[in-house]
Amino acid sequence: MAAIRVENLVKKYKNGVQALDGLSLRVNDGEIFSLLGQNGAGKSTLINVLTTYLRPTSGSVTMFGKDIYRESAAIRAQISCVAQRTSIDIHLSLTENMMFQSKLYKVSKSEAKKRMETLIKVFGLERYLKYSVSSYSGGIKRRLDIALSMMSNPKVLFLDEPTVGMDIQSRIAMWNMMKKIRNDFGTTIFLTTHYLEEADQLSDTICIMKKGKEVIQGMPHALREYLRQDMMKISFATKEEAKSCFQQLKSVIALKEIDLRHDKIITNLKNNHSDLEKANRWLLDYKIPFLGIEIMQPTLEDVFIRLTGENGKEVY
Ligand SMILES: Nc1ncnc2c1ncn2[C@@H]1O[C@H](COP(=O)(O)OP(=O)(O)O)[C@@H](O)[C@H]1O
Ligand SMILES: [Mg+2]
């Protein structure tokens, strides 16, 4: 059974902004599901709808087969959400925070204690117990926040951009924590992110959304190939130079129309970088004026362009 099924979801805010525009997706039970999208794509709106804080304009959402609006009380007892703002009380200790959380969910004290000890152990939080919560770094606070949200033993955990602004060490610690939640507790994780790498490293299923609608979902294997393929970027001084080079370079290496982006040529590299050597040699042999040639990792925008064939942006 699907943990979550969203069909044709529309959310129009009072100010007229249509944050969700007929979005559909499916989250499998027990998986880490990543929703990838840029700022303003509608990720937080979707999380707010899925956690029953916002009512959609139209469309349906079921969780484990139940309509989340008709049975919202039952649904709320089974989910937990860590929003972009932290919910820890810095005047309480780590353990006081955890016990307080369990009260909100009406977990018995002895049960809560047991659970707290398990969580502290599983997430390696022992070493922070002796310090006051106000002294924790942002990354530790976030991990505590997630540990808190696990006190109610949720079936689904929602995380809105859990690693935004974190350094790589904290991010890796967070990824390990999420994997533990899935593996040790069987909790389904629904997370949003705008980091390609995060979705790639962590998730069983990826859904990419843009402007309130899914662009592609599932197919983690095929998607991974897109996400991991190196790109070659050739920069020029002007748009005209890029265009003229593009026309000629087409006969040397395979290029698509969407690879010409303003004053740059950006294309994915196949065949072990031999295209890079070919292009480089050709540029030098024919004394083509260019600013630089480099290998780069694809960005979310690159993936969008390749998936949708759209190249509407002029700023690269
Ligand atoms: N409460 C609100 N009222 C009106 N518009 C909103 C509200 N919240 C978000 N929006 C708008 O909805 C769109 C999607 O926002 P959001 O869901 O926050 O996207 P994301 O989380 O992907 O950055 C944006 O254009 C945003 O400005
Ligand atoms: Mg957001």
Side-chain angles (χ1 to χ4, degrees), residues 8-9 19-24 35-36 41-42 207-216 304:
N8 220 354
L9 202 61
L20 299 175
D21 188 17
L23 176 130
S24 300
L35 181 69
L36 253 171
C207 174
I208 300 186
M209 76 180 286
K210 188 173 189 173
K211 293 184 190 143
K213 206 172 166 18
E214 79 284 352
V215 178
I216 190 169
F304 281 138

Side-chain angles (χ1 to χ4, degrees), residues 193-212:
T193 181
H194 61 261
Y195 301 116
L196 269 184
E197 193 198 353
E198 179 155 288
D200 180 32
Q201 294 276 329
L202 197 63
S203 28
D204 302 298
T205 300
I206 298 172
C207 174
I208 300 186
M209 76 180 286
K210 188 173 189 173
K211 293 184 190 143

Side-chain angles (χ1 to χ4, degrees), residues 23-255:
L23 176 130
S24 300
L25 55 81
R26 177 202 159 99
V27 180
N28 296 315
D29 192 12
E31 74 174 350
I32 299 181
F33 180 99
S34 294
L35 181 69
L36 253 171
Q38 283 165 325
N39 279 334
K43 303 183 298 296
S44 295
T45 301
L46 178 62
I47 286 220
N48 287 333
V49 170
L50 296 182
T51 52
T52 74
Y53 284 100
L54 266 186
R55 267 212 168 251
T57 310
S58 61
S60 79
V61 182
T62 55
M63 241 176 250
F64 302 105
K66 288 183 186 149
D67 181 290
I68 66 166
Y69 297 98
R70 244 173 274 143
E71 306 186 48
S72 56
I75 295 295
R76 278 182 198 162
Q78 294 187 339
I79 62 177
S80 236
C81 179
V82 180
Q84 278 171 300
R85 247 188 2 257
T86 154
S87 58
I88 326 168
D89 188 334
I90 56 163
H91 303 295
L92 299 180
S93 72
L94 188 156
T95 52
E96 284 166 342
N97 263 291
M98 292 181 105
M99 292 306 281
F100 180 72
Q101 188 73 13
S102 67
K103 268 195 206 155
L104 295 180
Y105 278 89
K106 302 192 172 63
V107 182
S108 78
K109 205 167 174 180
S110 62
E111 183 59 33
K113 259 210 153 107
K114 255 198 260 159
R115 188 138 189 95
M116 181 175 79
E117 277 156 20
T118 309
L119 291 172
I120 287 177
K121 202 159 148 225
V122 170
F123 299 139
L125 296 170
E126 298 96 340
R127 62 197 140 131
Y128 306 112
L129 288 173
K130 56 179 184 289
Y131 305 107
S132 88
V133 171
S134 57
S135 71
Y136 293 174
S137 71
I140 309 294
K141 276 192 190 134
R142 284 242 120 190
R143 277 158 70 191
L144 171 57
D145 221 354
I146 293 178
L148 287 186
S149 69
M150 289 300 292
M151 281 298 283
S152 60
N153 202 8
K155 280 170 91 171
V156 186
L157 176 63
F158 292 91
L159 304 170
D160 200 0
E161 306 218 27
T163 66
V164 72
M166 278 185 182
D167 58 53
I168 189 67
Q169 254 91 22
S170 314
R171 190 169 289 163
I172 290 170
M174 188 65 102
W175 293 346
N176 289 336
M177 186 171 190
M178 290 186 239
K179 285 180 189 157
K180 271 194 179 144
I181 291 174
R182 176 193 59 192
N183 300 348
D184 292 11
F185 301 105
T187 307
T188 304
I189 300 185
F190 183 106
L191 75 104
T192 69
T193 181
H194 61 261
Y195 301 116
L196 269 184
E197 193 198 353
E198 179 155 288
D200 180 32
Q201 294 276 329
L202 197 63
S203 28
D204 302 298
T205 300
I206 298 172
C207 174
I208 300 186
M209 76 180 286
K210 188 173 189 173
K211 293 184 190 143
K213 206 172 166 18
E214 79 284 352
V215 178
I216 190 169
Q217 68 175 305
M219 297 168 62
H221 194 73
L223 210 48
R224 285 216 159 103
E225 278 183 12
Y226 270 116
L227 304 184
R228 287 189 178 158
Q229 213 159 52
D230 282 341
M231 317 270 301
M232 169 171 69
K233 176 166 93 179
I234 312 173
S235 314
F236 299 87
T238 65
K239 198 173 160 179
E240 289 68 35
E241 283 180 9
K243 194 169 177 187
S244 131
C245 174
F246 180 78
Q247 299 304 341
Q248 302 172 65
L249 190 58
K250 266 201 297 202
S251 60
V252 182
I253 59 170
L255 291 173

